[in-house]
Amino acid sequence: MPRPTQTYRVGSFLGLTDDLGVEARPNQASILKNLYRLRDKLIVRGGTAPLGDANLYPNTQIDGLSWFRLSSVDVLFGAHNGRVVDFLHSVYPHEVTNSSGKLTALRNVPFAVVDGKAYASDGLLPMIRLTSLRADRAMPTTPSAPTLADGGAGALPAATYSYRIVWLSADVTNESVPSAVAQIVLGASRQVTVTRPILPAGQDISGWRIYRLPAGSTLYRVVTTISDTTTASYTDNNLDAAIAANAALSTADRTAFPPCQLLIEHEGRLMGARCSAAEGDMFTLYISNYREPWYSPVLPDLTDPNAGTRISIPGAWAGEITGIVSHGDRVLVFTGGSVNVLIGDQPLEYSLKLLAPHGCVAHRTIQKLHDRLFWASSDGVFMAASGQPVRHISDDLATAYRAISPPDKAKMHAFIHDNKYFLCWPTGAWWYDVRYEIWGEHSNWLWRTTAPSIYQGTTNPRIFAAQEGAARVWELETGVTDNGVAIETDFASRDEDFGLPGREKRLHYLGAVFKAGSGTVTARLYRGTGELIQTISYNLATLPVPGATISRMDERVSEAARDEFFKARLTHSDSVGGYEILSLDGRHSLAT
């Protein structure tokens, strides 16, 4: 290899400068802690601050967190100690009306919105619906058959009379599965007293409806609707002709949507999985009726395009469902070892087909950004994009990823913010910059669950999070410190040969350009073997001229700085914030 024509050359450690035509490489750092790449610089991440000044009581943890729009109102709901808590309105924190005891404490709780109402479940207790900042069970259980008695003299002719009743939901929008048939034989000119069973506790029932089968008909017709829970009986004296044109009892399967720990909305339907209650299992995808998220038929009417259904993953990839996501016009269903696509939009057409043999370790790691889809598996993070094969993107983290325990991987969750995929778990956090394909690490981000806002309007997106074992919520990227604690940044370049591979070089100067600020930067220079050559301290308040906006470090390094490869590392911690690295380079010559 010929010697360079210049005695000294300048090489970039960062790839953040255009000097000498150096191009910014996608993976330019081996360590990037609490720093983001923003065009031609690295900037410190924003700080964190708790909402309010106290933990909820009892001091356990937030079991689910979701930001969404309810009846044109933006809300941040969290599940805590078996109830739903509102973190944005009224006195912080505010328990949502009627939510106490409707969820199981210490179980993850998802939220999904269908037609302006939110639905939540923990996989054990029946699903609840949140509307107008109130929580109610989405659908009551099936009532027992009513009690019938001769009501005395009336207009009904001698016959056998058959009745069924249904409970009405709290908002009177849906009926329960109808009761079994109750019958009574009457003589001429009588009437029937219909008495409902005792109201079940905790069902949020708003009333009940009575249906009767007219003579010669196969359809039960409404006799009356009782819109309260205090009236226990009704005396029926209506002739068949009076009820023949009334609404008929639906013959469709009205099986309730089971409690699920995974919930999503897709094209007007609620979809869920991982039911731990007796009415479901962990292997089935539950699909609601169109715009009726409280029903998921066991035996759907295949001729009704609005009917929902239940479907399991077929073949060799069958197993417990670990994640579901709506992506474009498709739903993807994950197991621990596969991702499958749901085909069709009605019961007659639904099927699940294998998309890729790369499973998901935790449902909440599945996130969308434009046409890309990200998720965490047992062996790394994967990305799928339109027209491209599924790609493993976490090779740089392979060793560290394998070191995360399976229980911690199961607790992983993620969110998208500023074109970055943030992957968090109770003991750590990483992020992936989609634009530059760079991985970075965050310290002091020990989040159990997160919730980014999605409606921006005139405000910037906001990110909320809760920690393991702490019953409070933080807002992220809000300032310059972590609740008053300075954010420490750390950058280390990869090993650099400055375009002269195989040749020993002598490094003369280590230079860097920063945004002028406060605090001390510690610069360390290493040989390619990892041996520390020199440590340099530099005050960011040092300015080339008064009033300058940048600070330039240009320090002579030790005569011992000789090697084929060099590596530079910068650390900084300051509570004022605003730290930015603009470039990092070194002047060198051949050592021979």
Side-chain angles (χ1 to χ4, degrees), residues 375-416:
W375 69 91
S377 73
S378 60
D379 59 345
V381 180
F382 287 85
M383 182 183 75
S386 178
Q388 301 178 24
V390 174
R391 183 158 67 95
H392 189 279
I393 61 171
S394 59
D395 288 340
D396 288 349
L397 306 175
T399 301
Y401 196 94
R402 284 194 297 268
I404 301 173
S405 69
D408 274 352
K409 285 179 180 174
K411 294 179 180 179
M412 282 180 164
H413 64 280
F415 64 93
I416 297 290

Side-chain angles (χ1 to χ4, degrees), residues 129-344:
R129 174 171 49 214
L130 298 117
T131 178
S132 300
L133 303 184
R134 175 186 168 90
D136 294 292
R137 286 191 60 167
M139 195 175 90
T141 56
T142 306
S144 303
T147 301
L148 307 179
D150 187 330
L156 299 180
T160 298
Y161 292 87
S162 299
Y163 291 85
R164 304 179 80 177
I165 67 168
V166 296
W167 298 131
L168 300 178
S169 65
D171 60 359
V172 204
T173 58
N174 51 286
E175 300 179 342
S176 71
V177 174
S179 71
V181 176
Q183 291 185 326
I184 188 172
V185 179
L186 294 181
S189 302
R190 309 302 290 174
Q191 55 186 350
V192 180
T193 298
V194 182
T195 302
R196 63 163 170 77
I198 296 174
L199 290 171
Q203 297 283 315
D204 301 316
I205 294 169
S206 63
W208 54 297
R209 185 169 289 145
I210 301 172
Y211 289 89
R212 194 182 85 203
L213 184 66
S217 176
T218 59
L219 295 176
Y220 283 78
R221 300 286 178 173
V222 171
V223 175
T224 191
T225 297
I226 299 170
S227 300
D228 63 64
T229 56
T230 57
T231 305
S233 297
Y234 172 80
T235 300
D236 178 20
N237 197 32
N238 299 283
L239 296 174
D240 283 351
I243 66 171
N246 291 352
L249 177 65
S250 173
T251 58
D253 184 336
R254 290 186 171 183
T255 304
F257 198 99
C260 292
Q261 269 201 300
L262 310 181
L263 287 177
I264 65 166
E265 184 275 340
H266 179 72
E267 297 182 346
R269 298 179 188 266
L270 189 67
M271 298 193 180
R274 297 190 70 81
C275 175
S276 300
E279 62 262 45
D281 58 49
M282 308 290 278
F283 307 92
T284 302
L285 176 68
Y286 301 93
I287 304 174
S288 79
N289 292 353
Y290 179 67
R291 301 203 181 282
E292 292 182 331
W294 44 85
Y295 296 133
S296 178
V298 175
L299 299 171
D301 180 357
L302 299 182
T303 65
D304 181 2
N306 294 320
T309 190
R310 303 175 177 210
I311 187 171
S312 298
I313 297 171
W317 299 106
E320 288 191 10
I321 295 175
T322 58
I324 50 177
V325 64
S326 172
H327 189 47
D329 62 349
R330 291 285 185 266
V331 170
L332 301 181
V333 183
F334 294 78
T335 67
S338 68
V339 52
N340 308 269
V341 60
L342 179 68
I343 306 297

Side-chain angles (χ1 to χ4, degrees), residues 76-112:
L76 176 67
F77 279 165
H80 173 257
N81 199 38
R83 56 191 177 145
V84 179
V85 178
D86 174 18
F87 289 99
L88 291 186
H89 303 97
S90 188
V91 178
Y92 169 86
H94 170 67
E95 180 179 333
V96 173
T97 303
N98 200 42
S99 70
S100 181
K102 287 186 164 56
L103 299 169
T104 305
L106 304 181
R107 285 181 65 86
N108 288 333
V109 176
F111 295 84

